[in-house]
Every structure is written in structure tokens, then in C-alpha cells.
Amino acid sequence: MAPSATTQEDAPKWSTRANGTGERDYTTDRNTPSQNTTYTTSNGNPVPHPYESQRAGDNGPLLLQDFHLIDLLSHFDRERIPERVVHAKGGGAHGFYRTTDSMEDLCMADIFKQDKKVPITVRFSTVGGESGSHDCARDPRGFSVKFRTEEGNWDMVANNTPVFFLRDAAKFPHFIHTQKRDPSTHLTHADDSTMFWDYLSQNPESVHQVMVLMGDRGIPDGWRKMHGYSGHSFKLVNKNGEWVYAQMHMKSKLGFEFITQEDSANYGPDYSQKDLYHAIEKGDFPGWDVYWQTMTPKEAEELWEKQKINVFDLTHVWPQKQFPLRKCGEFFLTENVQNYFAEIEQVAFSPSHLLPGIEPSADPVLQSRLFSYADTHRHRVGANYQQLPINAPTQTAYQPANFQRDGPMAYHNQGSRPNYLSSIQPISFQPRKVDQDKTHGHFVGQAVSFLSEIRPEDFNAPRTLWEKVFDEDAKQRFITNVSGHMANCHKEEIIKRQIGIFREVSDDLATRLEKATGVKGYQGIAGLRFNGTHNGMTKDNSLYGANGIDVDASKKHVQDNNGAPTIGQHQPAAVRSAA
């Protein structure tokens, strides 16, 4: 008798499991308890016991044919992806954001509609430390939020300080090197702070962040009790194509609390992680209110013209009395991660992950981060890092597709769909929502080699911090923190230079620091030359150029605006050309 015919429909398919559940789903796997699983090799072959190995006789050598052992060891050898160069030590959780006060008049992004609610993932971190470093180190904190919206994922990659150490993009890798281990001694700046202060004393624009870092905000009391700031200026665009500059603030509902330098030794190395995890575990969900500061393009031009505050400068802040905070929404962390590696170590944030209606400004450090962060993830996690469940845009109202195919970990490789712009199977497009020709400045000019200069206005905000924000106890703690850290700086010239920088902030500050360190500092910076920035406060042309750059050549490029928007810059191109 002839065998019965077998149809294609009868044949088992690779994408169907025996129990009929189909492709193994990440969420199902994540939530399956151990007692409902079976121990196997990586290819699914059951193994009777995880501790067994094959050998030649009872006391002979191991056998290469033992795939289970080789599979086990070879995966173990590769279990670590490279740790982040910055923000290596961190933790986080999941939760939700909701818009409590509509922002539709300022931004077309769907997330800002009244009562809109989306899932989020937040990661907190220290900046300079390694993955095993102490949570209570004196360091800025990263504060990154991934909003999963119907228009894709939006990442707000923020810090717990409103400013940073630099405003020239090319300085960032060099600065971070000075916050790491010394290449010779292999010591961190806890034991040898020479590199740390050497960089700061050669780049005075860092003084505002130094004031914040060495003050009470330098060691927050865990992640739940600290604020977050975008630092950079973004652009919010509404449905009419009108736009404003904007900075985002995330204010902890618990308020801000800090740990003193002396008391920090009493906390465990994972204090912030432990504090967050157990708070969520017992239902004490931490929350933050979300605010925006905004200003019109004209106000940005006038802010520089009249007050010398540059909206493109990461070392400057916007006065809140002049540009008040406007509440937009709030978010809460309500769910601890179930697998740290999959949900925190592999989560990837980038300021280039934006939504229609949220655009970058011309801030040069932000511009560099738009490239650098995503590029870091391609190196650290892989070219297809966006396909990992923790990073994938799962909330969109449409099926995302593109022509990016193949490469390592191409789990969703888009099936048989054409990998080019096909007229046979055409891909769909959404209409343009933002006219970028109108929402970005009109920049016309030759390519210039730009390096900012230190100017008197760079000391205004730090001076206000010292004279009007710090009370007497805070001032004493600041001096103790700085002088204690400088005790490990082995070059007196560096301390003299840094005290000279502090003297431009306040003579009182510098005098107190001289007494605490026993080092007589310089009387200011007018007589100094810096290797990291042009000295706009010297009257000696030979001291102006960074690293001795020719003064006449540099002055052709260092504009009087120091990179800030100037009057008329935001006019449409047609108006500018007519003028």
C-alpha cells in the first residue's frame, strides 16, 4: 500500500513548539517560575544534572565531546558585556508616567496630551565610578528615563545636576579620563586627586559644576531623594510649527536630601540600589514631578545680550524667576526588575531617541551626545541593541519597520519583506509632523575651529551659589570637602591655580580654602594661561590662547558671543538674506 500523502500543512514548522504555544515569548519566559522549567543545554537538549561532566574513566581527564560542559564554560567566559565607560554603576526600576497638565500648546508629542499615561524604565547611576564602585561616592548621578509612547521610545538622558563640567564637546573624553584611574599608579582620585584637580584648574568653566559637586548635592541620600535635570536646551514644537527652547526638570516628591562626606562611610556600597529596591518591594513607590522651563528664540537672544547667559552652554542655568517652572506631569516607579542584566545592564538610553515635537538645540555638547550615546550602545551591546526587549519600541500604534537587517542578535529580522524601498511591496509612511526647515536655526558660514573662552559671566552663577544659596554650615562642609580631596593632590601648583579660580567666585571662598589647605593661591586668573580654554579675562595677549594658540588666529574664530545665539539669528533665512 502506498504511504499516505503528507501535505505542507501537516509538516511541523520551526516556529511552532510541541505544546502549540508558538515562538517563546520574552515576557512569558521572564515570568515563568523555575519549577515550570527543565534544565537543558543551550540548544534545548535535557541534561540529567548540571554538575556532571564526562571523563575518561573514574579518574581520567575530561572529554572534549562533553558539549554540556563546553557549552557551560564557554558561555560563562562570555557572560559580561563591556561595562559602560561612564555611568557603569547603577540600578533602576519600571513604572509609569502620566501627563497631569496638558502641554499641547507647546509640544505636538502625543505623550503631552492631558491624562496620557505611558510605561517607563528609569536607570540611576554614578558617572565616573566602575561597576563595583560605591553608591555614596562624591560624583554626579545619571538620571535616565525611557518613555514608551505610541510614537516610539523617548529617552531623557539627564543628570542630578543642572550643569556639567564642560561646554566644548571634544573635552568630554579627556575629562572622563581624568576621573578614572591614573595610568601609572592605577589609583582613583580617592587616593590620588592630582589628575582630577589638574583638569579642573586648566578648565575654569567647570567651576559651577565643581561648586555643586563639592557641596551638599555631591552625595544624594539615595536615588529616591534626588532631582533630575536635562541640563541641555531642547526645542518643543507645537502643531502650528511654533517652537520654544526648553529644559526639563524632574523633582522628587520626597524632596532632596544629602549625605555628608563624613557620614558616607557608614553606608553600604550598594546603598542606593538597596534603598530603591526595598522601597518599591514594600509598596512605597517613589515619584517625581515633571516640569519644563521654556523661552522663545527672541528671549534666548536677549538673555545673552543683556545677561550673558547662553542657552547653548551646559555650564549655565536659566533663572527660574525669569523662566518659571511649568508642571507637565509626574511619574512613579512601581515595579522592580526581575533580571538586572536584561532590564538594567542592557537598557540603552540616548538623547537622540526623540519624538516628533521634541528637537535638539545647537548646544554643542548635546549635538555630540546625539551621536556618541547610540554609537556606544552599538559597541557595548551590539548593532541590534534596539531589538532587545528592554529597548524595543513596544507601545507604538503601528508596526515599526526599516531596512536595517542582519548582524549579531538580529532576532526580529523583518521576515521576507523587501530590504529596500520597493514599489512591489511598498512600505507605509506617516506624514511629516515637524517642518525642520523652520524649527532649526539658519546657520550660514565657513567651518571654524571653535574653542570657547572663560569670561566674567561664567562666575556669576557659582557666586550666587556661594553667597545666596549656601548657608554657613554648607560653606564649611564645602571647604572641608574640597580641602580633604585636595590633600591627595601632589602638585601644589594645581592647588594654587584652582584657588585662583575659586577667587573669581568669591575672595571669601578662596581665603577659607587657603587656610584649610595651607596653600597660598593665585589672586585670580588674569595672570594665568590654560591648556583647556582661552582666557578671556587676561589683558596679556600672550596668555589668551589655550596651549599657546596664536592669539590673532584664534580671535578670528572666538566670537564675542562665545557660541550663544545673537540678536536676529532666529530670523527666517529669507529675511536674513534680504537684510
Side-chain angles (χ1 to χ4, degrees), residues 359-433:
E359 297 287 323
S361 75
D363 177 338
V365 180
L366 172 60
Q367 291 280 319
S368 70
R369 294 176 75 206
L370 298 176
F371 162 76
S372 183
Y373 276 60
D375 190 57
T376 293
H377 304 319
R378 295 184 192 102
H379 155 70
R380 194 178 69 89
V381 184
N384 291 304
Y385 73 94
Q386 297 275 43
Q387 293 190 29
L388 294 173
I390 193 62
N391 298 318
T394 58
Q395 302 297 313
T396 56
Y398 43 81
Q399 170 66 43
N402 52 49
F403 306 129
Q404 296 179 9
R405 305 296 173 97
D406 306 344
M409 298 187 298
Y411 182 61
H412 298 290
N413 214 31
Q414 307 190 50
S416 63
R417 297 191 294 274
N419 60 357
Y420 67 100
L421 191 59
S422 170
S423 61
I424 303 171
Q425 298 182 41
I427 194 169
S428 298
F429 298 93
Q430 286 199 351
R432 191 188 309 277
K433 294 184 177 181

Side-chain angles (χ1 to χ4, degrees), residues 324-345:
L325 298 178
R326 169 175 167 173
K327 187 175 180 183
C328 164
E330 61 186 4
F331 62 84
F332 296 87
L333 297 180
T334 59
E335 180 189 357
N336 280 315
V337 304
Q338 294 193 30
N339 187 282
Y340 181 91
F341 180 83
E343 299 168 53
I344 295 297
E345 191 63 22

Side-chain angles (χ1 to χ4, degrees), residues 92 102 278 299 524:
S102 172
H278 287 299
E299 287 175 324

Side-chain angles (χ1 to χ4, degrees), residues 90-104:
H94 308 299
F96 68 90
Y97 161 87
R98 64 178 166 219
T99 294
T100 58
D101 301 87
S102 172
M103 285 262 290
E104 291 181 82

Side-chain angles (χ1 to χ4, degrees), residues 89-151:
K89 177 66 183 293
H94 308 299
F96 68 90
Y97 161 87
R98 64 178 166 219
T99 294
T100 58
D101 301 87
S102 172
M103 285 262 290
E104 291 181 82
D105 59 317
L106 291 179
C107 186
M108 69 175 69
D110 181 74
I111 189 176
F112 294 133
K113 292 179 179 178
Q114 185 67 40
D115 299 324
K116 196 70 179 184
K117 188 174 178 180
V118 302
I120 64 171
T121 296
V122 177
R123 183 179 187 269
F124 307 102
S125 59
T126 49
V127 173
E130 300 149 358
S131 62
S133 58
H134 205 293
D135 276 358
C136 295
R138 184 168 294 278
D139 198 22
R141 266 64 177 170
F143 192 133
S144 296
V145 186
K146 187 178 291 292
F147 300 85
R148 295 182 169 84
T149 85
E150 293 183 11
E151 298 177 297

